[in-house]
């Protein structure tokens, strides 16, 4: 993995003006994207992962504003860029794949034209654009390119529609691809194929991918590095081995525990309660009210970010030298031991 | 295994599109047979469009069966709809829907939504209804104050609890849960699954659990049926199904589940299912065959022999 940073998000804070007051959706998010790698952002709905993505693309809704922080790309700060600059970057440098392919596509425009539209904007003439679009349709694995070129979105299945969306994203020839829950609306077998496709085009084109999802299984499959978000903050970040095999944050523990895998038996460890209301984010550690491991200080003071390795960081008071020693829950420990054992098959 | 509560025999349901020469018949459920034993959870999995939801809805008579027979505790429930049968159905079977927003009437309070079933069952005394509604709300983890609120005031997980309370208040013997957790966040999913498990144990419920998330179905079900294009292709105990999947489609489905383990995910080999390639049904017709130990497979004679050998 080449270690040069292509995109760097620093202390990003985004809020929304609503009738009820200011909603602090993103509260100080920092992460880097290196060339050629896949970084996942995991979180529940309302954790701020999609808002972060929208800020990168410059498509925040009008009532949102960036309070602080920067998004550095190619020496530019996208958090402060004007519409004209963003227009040069959106689609051309940073591509986006949405969750719901049907609403991302224009229902009354033929698929071919939706792809060539991008190419024509980039200055290709009609014949060139057509040839290139057919290539793209083939590259994303849609059968019968000629016929698909002049078909409408409704004539395709969900998985094929998502392939079309990917083709459109690739038509801009971006170097960063943001995937916002690209497989949530799809069946498992179709999901598997789309994930393979994203991995394949990433390798072929040397893309850097930001993968936004709530599905930890998908993350394990796709990501080199993982950022776990809760209540507008990254609570734990690390390589996927670090997050899945050596997690340290109570929220990451709870998230991993609450999801049944094929070997899970006995009662599921559900996370009690619901995510906090971001109109008035709780003081201290936002996860404390739902955590079995909360300390007194968690309710008073926001935990600093501790560094466990050059890649692994976590924001929890449990890591403070003065904190009582806490171990991860026993059931999670067992599960990780099982995961390691399963992996031995492949050595 | 205990006695059979729900018996589904050659059940079919077709959707008809268009008229005359443009008439199209889509067999959403095609000759499906299975049994659900009392107090067990039977999981039905498959991709969207495979007919799993239609199967559930046809059993509870939201759709009319076009062929086949369904019996519940020995009584046929697929026959002509009479007043008597309607009453029998609604006393014994209830449904939990996938979308907790669309399945609750936005203009009714929670008390009205949950209490409606009681009202129809002749509990006309308002205060008595209130007592029962509140008791049920407590049971699903809500409080008395929630009774006077409207659906939009609740989060997704809470709405699903309301849906469960509405289904449970009539004390049905069986629940058909159609993707009850797929619209919820991971942390909330576990809460709802635990709640369903508690209710199942406390009240001796039988559940038909319809879902596409195989990890959840595996965790929640005693036995599982796999559907593909309107056909039930494999039925087995949930451990058997995961340890010895026999139908190539089941294998493909299992190989596609992403597991939260980065160590194994890197090496995952996915299996593709292509009915044209994987089966040769030109000479032998496939049918449901018993492999023993409650495991049955939709296969041809040759495939059956092969499967038996593999299981040995």
């Amino acid at each position: 993995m080449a270690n040069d940073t292509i995109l760097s998000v620093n202390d990003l804070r985004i809020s929304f003006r609503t009738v009820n007051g200011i909603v602090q959706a993103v509260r100080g998010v920092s992460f880097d994207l290196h060339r050629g790698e896949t970084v996942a952002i995991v979180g529940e709905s309302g954790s701020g992962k999609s808002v972060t993505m929208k800020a990168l693309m410059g498509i925040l809704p009008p009532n949102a504003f960036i309070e602080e922080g920067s998004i550095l790309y190619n020496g530019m700060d996208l958090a402060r860029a004007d519409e004209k600059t963003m227009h040069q970057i959106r689609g051309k440098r940073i591509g986006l794949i949405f969750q719901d392919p049907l609403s991302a596509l224009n229902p009354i425009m033929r698929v071919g034209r939706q792809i060539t539209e991008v190419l024509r904007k980039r200055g290709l003439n009609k014949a060139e654009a057509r040839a290139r679009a057919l290539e793209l349709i083939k590259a994303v694995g849609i059968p019968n390119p000629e016929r698909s070129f002049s078909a409408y979105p409704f004539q395709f299945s969900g998985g094929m529609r998502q392939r079309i969306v990917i083709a459109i994203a690739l038509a801009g020839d971006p170097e960063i691809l943001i995937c916002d829950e690209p497989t949530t609306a799809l069946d498992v077998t179709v999901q598997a194929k789309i994930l393979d496709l994203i991995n394949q085009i990433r390798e072929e084109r040397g893309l850097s991918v930001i993968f936004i999802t709530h599905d930890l299984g998908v993350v394990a499959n796709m990501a080199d590095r993982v950022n776990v978000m809760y209540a507008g903050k990254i609570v734990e970040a690390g390589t996927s081995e670090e997050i899945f095999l050596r997690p340290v944050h109570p929220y990451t523990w709870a998230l991993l525990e609450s999801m049944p895998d094929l070997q899970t038996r006995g009662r599921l460890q559900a996370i009690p309660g619901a995510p906090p209301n971001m109109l008035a984010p709780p003081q201290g550690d936002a996860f404390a009210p739902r955590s079995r491991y909360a300390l007194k200080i968690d309710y008073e003071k926001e935990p600093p970010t501790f560094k466990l390795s050059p890649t692994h960081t976590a924001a929890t008071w449990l890591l403070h030298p003065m904190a009582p020693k806490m171990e991860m829950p026993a059931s999670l420990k067992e599960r990780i031991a099982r995961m390691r054992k399963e992996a031995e098959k492949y050595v | 295994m205990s006695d059979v509560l729900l018996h589904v025999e050659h059940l079919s349901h077709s959707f008809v599109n268009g008229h005359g020469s443009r008439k199209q018949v889509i067999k959403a459920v095609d000759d499906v047979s299975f049994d659900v034993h009392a107090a067990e959870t039977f999981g039905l999995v498959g991709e969207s469009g495979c007919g799993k939801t239609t199967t559930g809805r046809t059993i509870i008579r939201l759709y009319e069966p076009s062929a086949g027979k369904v019996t519940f505790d020995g009584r046929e429930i697929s026959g002509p709809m009479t007043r008597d049968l309607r009453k029998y159905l609604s006393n014994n079977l209830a449904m939990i829907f996938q979308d907790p927003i669309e399945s609750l009437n936005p203009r009714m309070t929670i008390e009205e939504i949950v209490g409606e079933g009681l009202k129809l069952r002749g509990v006309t005394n308002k205060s008595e209804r209130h007592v029962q509604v509140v008791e049920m709300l407590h049971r699903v983890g809500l409080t008395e104050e929630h009774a006077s609120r409207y659906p939009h005031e609740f989060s997704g997980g809470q709405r699903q609890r309301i849906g469960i309370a509405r289904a449970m208040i009539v004390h049905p013997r069986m629940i058909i849960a159609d993707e009850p957790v797929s619209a919820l966040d991971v942390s909330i999913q576990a809460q709802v699954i635990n709640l369903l498990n508690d209710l199942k144990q406390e009240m001796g419920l039988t559940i038909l659990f319809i879902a596409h998330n195989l990890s959840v179905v595996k965790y929640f079900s005693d036995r599982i049926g796999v559907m593909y294009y309107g056909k039930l292709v494999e039925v087995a105990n949930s451990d058997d199904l995961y340890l010895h999947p026999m139908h190539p489609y089941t294998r493909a489905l299992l190989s596609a589940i992403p597991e939260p383990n980065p160590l194994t995910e890197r090496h995952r080999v996915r299996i593709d299912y292509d009915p044209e390639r994987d089966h040769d049904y030109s000479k032998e017709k496939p049918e449901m065959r018993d492999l023993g130990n409650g495991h049955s497979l939709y296969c041809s004679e040759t495939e059956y022999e092969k499967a038996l050998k593999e299981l040995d």
Side-chain angles (χ1 to χ4, degrees):
Chain A
M1 200 192 313
N3 227 1
D4 48 341
T5 303
I6 178 165
L7 185 86
S8 166
V9 177
N10 304 299
D11 196 31
L12 191 66
R13 283 168 200 276
I14 304 166
S15 295
F16 287 81
R17 285 187 204 90
T18 70
V19 279
N20 296 321
I22 304 280
V23 175
Q24 303 176 28
V26 177
R27 304 185 297 153
V29 161
S30 307
F31 67 91
D32 289 340
L33 176 66
H34 303 309
R35 201 173 290 278
E37 74 168 355
T38 301
V39 166
I41 302 179
V42 198
E44 299 177 64
S45 39
S47 63
K49 56 190 195 308
S50 287
V51 177
T52 308
M53 173 278 293
K54 284 186 174 143
L56 299 182
M57 289 296 281
I59 50 171
L60 284 169
N63 67 335
F65 57 99
I66 298 177
E67 290 195 55
E68 250 186 271
S70 59
I71 304 166
L72 298 177
Y73 168 74
N74 250 350
M76 276 178 289
D77 182 3
L78 302 187
R80 308 265 169 276
D82 55 11
E83 183 52 32
K84 212 174 135 197
T85 326
M86 280 319 289
H87 199 73
Q88 290 308 310
I89 285 166
R90 212 181 284 140
K92 293 179 187 134
R93 312 304 329 152
I94 306 178
L96 176 62
I97 301 168
F98 288 98
Q99 172 173 356
D100 181 3
L102 192 56
S103 49
L105 293 168
N106 185 340
I108 55 165
M109 200 194 245
R110 287 179 203 274
V111 165
R113 223 181 114 214
Q114 299 194 46
I115 303 173
T116 50
E117 194 182 20
V118 185
L119 297 164
R120 292 295 302 266
K121 285 246 161 71
R122 286 178 52 206
L124 274 68
N125 70 33
K126 216 170 164 183
E128 282 166 355
R130 188 189 156 85
R132 180 89 187 94
L134 286 172
E135 259 171 52
L136 283 166
I137 293 175
K138 220 190 264 161
V140 295
I142 298 174
N144 221 330
E146 290 281 344
R147 211 173 72 204
S148 303
F149 187 87
S150 48
Y152 288 97
F154 76 88
Q155 293 169 298
F156 293 89
S157 65
M160 285 300 150
R161 280 181 205 138
Q162 195 58 286
R163 286 171 195 266
I164 297 166
V165 174
I166 295 174
I168 294 173
L170 291 180
D173 206 11
E175 56 178 353
I176 299 173
L177 189 63
I178 301 176
C179 307
D180 186 10
E181 307 248 9
T183 57
T184 310
L186 306 173
D187 284 313
V188 262
T189 48
V190 182
Q191 162 172 297
K193 285 179 191 145
I194 296 290
L195 294 180
D196 282 347
L197 173 66
I198 293 174
N199 269 336
Q200 178 207 330
I201 56 178
R202 175 182 72 144
E203 265 166 46
E204 281 171 7
R205 292 159 194 263
L207 288 176
S208 314
V209 177
I210 299 177
F211 202 93
I212 295 166
T213 182
H214 67 268
D215 187 335
L216 290 165
V218 172
V219 172
N221 186 284
M222 298 293 289
D224 300 306
R225 289 188 304 123
V226 184
N227 295 298
V228 182
M229 267 188 98
Y230 185 77
K233 283 177 194 264
I234 291 178
V235 293
E236 185 165 2
T239 62
S240 29
E241 267 93 1
E242 283 164 340
I243 296 294
F244 284 97
L245 301 172
R246 294 186 288 282
V248 292
H249 197 284
Y251 179 64
T252 319
W253 293 345
L255 209 56
L256 288 167
E257 252 194 317
S258 66
M259 187 184 157
D261 68 3
L262 295 178
Q263 273 84 34
T264 310
R265 269 163 227 282
R267 204 178 160 76
L268 282 183
Q269 275 301 338
I271 308 177
N277 182 352
M278 299 312 284
L279 267 170
Q283 252 195 342
D285 187 344
F287 186 59
R290 302 175 75 190
S291 172
R292 281 179 282 158
Y293 301 92
L295 308 170
K296 194 166 159 264
I297 192 167
D298 275 321
Y299 293 95
E300 290 156 7
K301 224 173 145 200
E302 216 171 275
T305 302
F306 293 93
K307 208 164 182 161
L308 289 133
S309 82
T311 46
H312 195 179
T313 57
T316 167
W317 282 115
L318 290 183
L319 293 174
H320 194 272
M322 279 165 70
K325 275 274 158 277
M326 294 264 198
E327 294 246 326
M328 70 171 78
S331 66
L332 185 59
K333 231 180 189 169
E334 264 168 48
R335 179 149 154 184
I336 290 170
R338 209 168 55 219
M339 278 158 58
R340 287 188 187 278
K341 211 162 160 198
E342 258 175 68
E344 282 167 15
K345 282 190 292 201
Y346 298 102
V347 181
Chain B
M1 219 6 99
S2 45
D3 44 319
V4 173
L5 184 67
L6 182 82
H7 177 67
V8 179
E9 213 180 310
H10 306 297
L11 185 71
S12 298
H13 177 82
S14 310
F15 290 104
V16 180
N17 269 342
H19 297 281
S21 61
R22 272 200 269 169
K23 186 165 158 175
Q24 253 187 330
V25 177
I26 296 150
K27 286 187 184 167
V29 177
D30 191 2
D31 197 11
V32 164
S33 307
F34 62 91
D35 287 338
V36 181
H37 302 278
E40 81 167 350
T41 302
F42 187 86
L44 212 48
V45 286
E47 293 178 27
S48 44
C50 75
K52 55 188 194 299
T53 296
T54 313
T55 306
R57 292 187 164 206
T58 311
I59 291 169
I60 205 170
R61 300 294 293 272
L62 285 171
Y63 297 144
E64 285 304 300
S66 32
K69 192 174 156 190
V70 183
T71 56
F72 185 84
D73 200 14
R75 175 175 171 162
E76 183 175 353
I77 56 169
S78 51
M81 186 54 80
T82 58
R83 226 190 139 93
D84 199 36
L85 178 60
R86 168 79 62 211
K87 205 167 168 190
Y88 181 76
L89 270 175
S90 59
N91 275 332
N92 286 293
L93 286 142
M95 191 143 181
I96 300 168
F97 295 91
Q98 169 173 10
D99 191 331
I101 304 163
E102 303 234 324
S103 62
L104 300 177
N105 187 336
R107 298 173 66 163
M108 281 164 87
T109 62
I110 301 316
E111 172 142 21
E112 286 165 341
I113 291 172
V114 178
E116 201 179 16
L118 288 176
K119 208 166 160 184
L120 293 172
R121 243 156 226 81
V123 185
T124 41
N125 185 329
K126 216 173 165 189
S127 54
E128 198 195 321
R129 260 204 326 261
H130 181 75
V131 172
Q132 289 197 35
V133 166
V134 170
E135 196 198 313
M136 191 40 81
L137 287 181
H138 280 303
R139 200 142 199 183
V140 298
L142 298 169
T143 59
E144 186 168 1
E145 292 90 75
H146 289 131
S148 54
R149 297 198 195 157
Y150 288 89
H152 74 264
E153 296 174 72
F154 294 89
S155 67
Q158 285 175 317
R159 283 187 198 138
Q160 203 52 288
R161 287 170 192 270
I162 296 165
I164 293 169
R166 171 178 62 184
M168 294 301 303
I169 195 130
V170 300
H171 296 279
R173 292 163 70 190
M174 183 169 177
I175 291 247
I176 297 179
D178 186 6
E179 304 256 14
V181 296
S182 41
L184 307 175
D185 265 320
V186 228
S187 74
I188 311 295
Q189 268 187 17
Q191 290 177 10
V192 173
I193 292 173
N194 280 342
L195 171 66
L196 281 172
N197 252 336
D198 291 345
L199 290 171
K200 181 181 148 191
Q201 245 123 54
E202 281 168 38
M203 310 175 95
L205 264 184
T206 308
I207 302 178
L208 179 64
F209 188 80
I210 301 169
H212 69 273
N213 183 334
L214 286 123
S215 317
V216 173
V217 173
K218 161 79 173 25
Y219 171 73
F220 196 60
S221 312
D222 303 308
R223 289 193 307 133
I224 297 172
V226 182
M227 284 189 77
Y228 182 76
Y229 270 82
K231 293 264 188 211
L232 196 61
V233 295
E234 190 165 5
V235 180
N237 293 329
S238 58
D239 287 330
D240 274 353
L241 189 79
Y242 282 82
L243 292 173
H244 314 288
M246 281 299 149
H247 198 277
Y249 176 66
T250 313
R251 289 181 182 163
L253 209 55
L254 285 173
S255 80
I257 312 174
E259 281 206 74
N261 184 355
L263 299 174
T264 53
E265 281 300 316
R266 305 261 155 82
H267 305 279
R268 176 179 285 280
V269 181
R270 295 202 178 100
I271 304 167
D272 237 354
Y273 175 57
D274 179 358
E276 303 270 310
R277 182 197 64 203
D278 292 340
H279 305 289
D280 180 14
Y281 290 151
S282 55
K283 288 194 194 81
E284 300 168 310
K285 286 283 157 262
E287 57 174 351
M288 215 57 185
R289 284 165 217 263
D290 188 11
L291 295 168
N293 201 12
H295 196 153
S296 40
L297 179 69
Y298 183 75
C299 57
S300 65
E301 192 61 41
T302 331
E303 286 173 326
Y304 179 64
E305 307 274 312
K306 216 175 113 206
L308 278 180
K309 232 176 254 164
E310 266 180 62
L311 271 178
D312 265 340

